[in-house]
Amino acid sequence: MHDRILILDFGSQVTQLIARRLREAGVYCEIFPFNTDEERIRAFAPRGIIFSGGPASVTSDDTPRAPQLAFDLGVPLLGICYGQQTLCHQLGGVVENSDHQEFGRAFLEIKEPCTLYDGVWQPGERHQVWMSHGDRVVRLPEGFEVVATSEGAPFAVTADEANKRYAVMFHPEVVHTPDGGKLLANFALKICGCGGDWTMAAFRSEAIDAIRKQVGDRRVICGLSGGVDSSVAAVLIHEAIGEQLTCIFVDHGLLRLGEAEEVVSLFRGHYNIPLVHRDASDLFLGKLAGVEDPERKRKIIGATFIDVFEEEAGKLGGADFLAQGTLYPDVIESVSFTGGPSVTIKSHHNVGGLPARMNMALVEPLRELFKDEVRALGRELGLPETLIGRHPFPGPGLAIRIPGEVTAEKAELLRKADAVYLDEIRKAGLYDAIWQAFAVLLPVKTVGVMGDARSYDYVCALRAVTSTDGMTADSYAFDHAFLAATATRIINEVRGINRVVYDVTSKPPGTIEWE
């Protein structure tokens, strides 16, 4: 039983990053909607509670509020941005719309010592933070004092040390607040008294026990995609229950070049895990024929996966459980906490459960983990670095990197171009410096001159991004020589593509994928 921090989500796009920073400090935490049932909060037994940011304004009566239980439990509290405002408002303070908004980089003036930044900041110092607010606190609740200010937020950091309640106007969870992770660690470790014992070694042992308890002597089918998540899930489950597990690997015709062969070789040859390899590429491509809308593609692929699993499970004599590599962001983003659009982000995962006709329960041993934690668990399990360090690849595969209709011809063109691109990145020693890189086959053709003849072929776009968490991304700054050499190779080696462009856009919080 690990010490726990509860994060109440008020709709911020970066709430997940609060959890990431706490996990990095060795503290287990979970994110609940702000309106979670009080009994669930009691059962979670948090050592402290954090109120996240959010897009609403406390000055409106119909906006989210923290449950009264959060105050009644007597555990330390930390409010961030909107969380600061509702914390102060609900304790008797006053929040008003401000004429001086702060969005982006700001600087704090540290006025007084505070346990929240003990050992990190000292009075008299000036430190960079990241602000995103239009409202501000103008009168503090009883017991609070101002310990740091900014130009647009006279109550930028406030504290009630006696009751261990703290409120900050900035976002400590984002990388643009350089010391933010240290502040969150201080809250969890120093203020809440958490032990910081959340490790992958501990998780591995606990997860194996949990799988054995859930499964017993029954059979499990694992949906193996060849990506990091499902591969780690499969090896973990196999370690727990051995031959009770059978993996089904479905080749939907939208994988990267050579990926199907790699998966079969690794799991059959190296791990000796029972594996059914189903080449269903014709089935998937047939169902995708004529479909251009990316959300319909995702739903078709997800539904077809279920159909294939049912068929293969029937051939095996059935199973009691379906295992899949659902991650914590999948769970969070599939539930719209505040009425926003997040309910559709992860539509290709069965995080809400399976169709009743499948008559199987889900085994999701990675459901509490973030992507980098899954990689750490994979290393703990001894999976090869070539798999663990692989760039993220979406469940729908190349389907969402082919805007418009997906055909076998387009998929093969994109597969080849993508392989050349990644080969050049590896040769340049850049693969591990990039969070995700991929090629996209655009739904347009251009006239080009190749040798002495004109061509009318597709345009290929290249994308590479850097990211620390997958929530935000900046384009990778390749030099011109690299891009020129890569483009030349693609045009020379992939007949059907005559032009290559590079996407230099950045991404705000949200999905990194193309469509």
Side-chain angles (χ1 to χ4, degrees):
M1 183 65 177
H2 300 278
D3 295 329
R4 302 173 168 195
I5 298 294
L6 172 61
I7 302 164
L8 290 178
D9 182 23
F10 289 89
S12 170
Q13 290 182 314
V14 292
T15 297
Q16 289 187 37
L17 300 187
I18 304 172
R20 285 300 311 114
R21 302 293 87 82
L22 291 172
R23 299 276 186 93
E24 288 166 3
V27 177
Y28 184 72
C29 59
E30 288 188 22
I31 300 170
F32 290 3
F34 72 92
N35 55 357
T36 294
D37 179 83
E38 289 192 353
E39 286 307 308
R40 186 183 178 201
I41 295 175
R42 287 186 191 276
F44 188 70
R47 293 292 298 267
I49 300 176
I50 297 177
F51 299 172
S52 83
S57 172
V58 172
T59 60
S60 300
D61 292 334
D62 59 348
T63 50
R65 297 291 185 268
Q68 183 59 40
L69 179 63
F71 301 94
D72 294 343
L73 285 176
V75 299
L77 302 177
L78 171 62
I80 296 173
C81 197
Y82 181 90
Q84 181 202 48
Q85 295 167 29
T86 195
L87 186 152
C88 289
H89 173 78
Q90 290 182 246
L91 290 174
V94 177
V95 178
E96 293 181 354
N97 296 123
S98 173
D99 293 330
H100 192 133
Q101 302 178 104
E102 283 184 306
F103 292 95
R105 186 176 290 104
F107 291 89
L108 289 187
E109 302 288 342
I110 310 303
K111 303 296 186 182
E112 303 290 341
C114 179
T115 311
L116 188 65
Y117 46 72
D118 182 46
V120 184
W121 297 338
Q122 301 297 328
E125 295 178 347
R126 189 169 183 262
H127 291 279
Q128 177 186 313
V129 296
W130 190 259
M131 294 281 193
S132 180
H133 67 94
D135 297 344
R136 66 181 183 183
V137 177
V138 295
R139 191 177 74 213
L140 291 174
E142 183 179 352
F144 280 78
E145 65 173 336
V146 178
V147 293
T149 65
S150 72
E151 184 177 350
F155 299 157
V157 183
T158 62
D160 176 357
E161 293 277 15
N163 292 299
K164 296 185 178 181
R165 293 173 175 176
Y166 305 85
V168 299
M169 186 84 285
F170 60 92
H171 286 273
E173 65 271 31
V174 301
V175 295
H176 311 294
T177 300
D179 296 321
K182 298 176 182 177
L183 271 61
L184 290 169
N186 268 0
F187 176 73
L189 301 174
K190 291 187 176 182
I191 295 171
C192 299
C194 293
D197 58 354
W198 171 251
T199 66
M200 281 304 102
F203 177 87
R204 175 185 181 179
S205 175
E206 292 162 7
I208 287 172
D209 288 343
I211 293 166
R212 288 171 178 166
K213 182 177 180 180
Q214 180 185 8
V215 172
D217 60 358
R218 291 169 290 179
R219 298 183 63 189
V220 178
I221 289 176
C222 179
L224 189 63
S225 71
V228 176
D229 306 335
S230 65
S231 297
V232 171
V235 173
L236 180 66
I237 294 168
H238 187 254
E239 184 170 309
I241 61 173
E243 297 298 310
Q244 293 169 241
L245 170 71
T246 299
C247 290
I248 297 178
F249 170 51
V250 178
D251 182 353
H252 52 28
L254 301 164
L255 298 170
R256 291 172 284 205
L257 189 67
E259 193 162 46
E261 294 78 8
E262 291 176 12
V263 171
V264 173
S265 174
L266 179 65
F267 284 87
R268 277 188 185 160
H270 183 76
Y271 285 104
N272 198 30
I273 296 176
L275 174 67
V276 174
H277 176 203
R278 169 74 180 274
D279 184 353
S281 53
D282 290 342
L283 174 64
F284 279 85
L285 290 170
K287 288 182 177 291
L288 290 170
V291 179
E292 297 187 359
D293 179 69
E295 187 60 22
R296 280 196 63 205
K297 293 179 191 177
R298 291 178 182 271
K299 290 180 178 178
I300 288 170
I301 291 170
T304 306
F305 257 109
I306 290 175
D307 291 342
V308 173
F309 272 113
E310 284 187 296
E311 183 178 339
E312 295 301 327
K315 294 177 183 177
L316 294 169
D320 301 287
F321 297 94
L322 173 64
Q324 59 183 25
T326 304
L327 304 191
Y328 198 39
D330 300 329
V331 177
I332 297 167
E333 293 170 4
S334 297
V335 179
S336 182
F337 287 173
T338 57
S342 62
V343 71
T344 62
I345 290 178
K346 295 291 183 180
S347 57
H348 61 284
H349 277 272
N350 304 308
V351 293
L354 297 170
R357 70 176 190 273
M358 291 193 72
N359 196 31
M360 285 193 287
L362 283 171
V363 177
E364 298 171 306
L366 312 182
R367 192 179 175 91
E368 299 173 346
L369 301 185
F370 289 90
K371 190 76 173 188
D372 56 332
E373 292 173 324
V374 173
R375 295 189 197 279
L377 177 59
R379 295 184 181 98
E380 178 74 24
L381 291 165
L383 272 76
E385 192 61 35
T386 51
L387 174 64
I388 295 304
R390 183 179 289 174
H391 290 174
F393 190 64
L398 300 181
I400 58 170
R401 296 175 181 175
I402 302 176
E405 183 182 11
V406 178
T407 66
E409 175 200 10
K410 290 181 180 179
E412 189 60 21
L413 286 176
L414 181 54
R415 227 186 315 271
K416 292 177 179 178
D418 191 68
V420 170
Y421 181 35
L422 294 179
D423 183 54
E424 286 295 307
I425 288 175
R426 288 189 175 96
K427 286 179 177 177
L430 301 174
Y431 190 84
D432 292 337
I434 295 170
W435 190 81
Q436 186 181 48
F438 55 88
V440 177
L441 193 69
L442 299 182
V444 293
K445 289 187 173 183
T446 64
V447 174
V449 177
M450 302 179 70
D452 296 322
R454 294 179 62 179
S455 66
Y456 185 60
D457 291 319
Y458 285 102
V459 178
C460 174
L462 305 180
R463 180 155 173 76
V465 297
T466 59
S467 179
T468 57
D469 43 54
M471 292 295 294
T472 61
D474 291 321
S475 60
Y476 186 82
F478 288 120
D479 60 41
H480 179 75
F482 173 89
L483 291 174
T486 302
T488 299
R489 270 197 67 188
I490 291 173
I491 291 169
N492 286 343
E493 298 178 24
V494 186
R495 187 179 295 274
I497 294 175
N498 69 2
R499 195 174 304 276
V500 178
V501 298
Y502 183 60
D503 175 15
V504 297
T505 58
S506 297
K507 288 289 290 182
T511 182
I512 303 297
E513 291 302 337
W514 189 266
E515 288 193 352

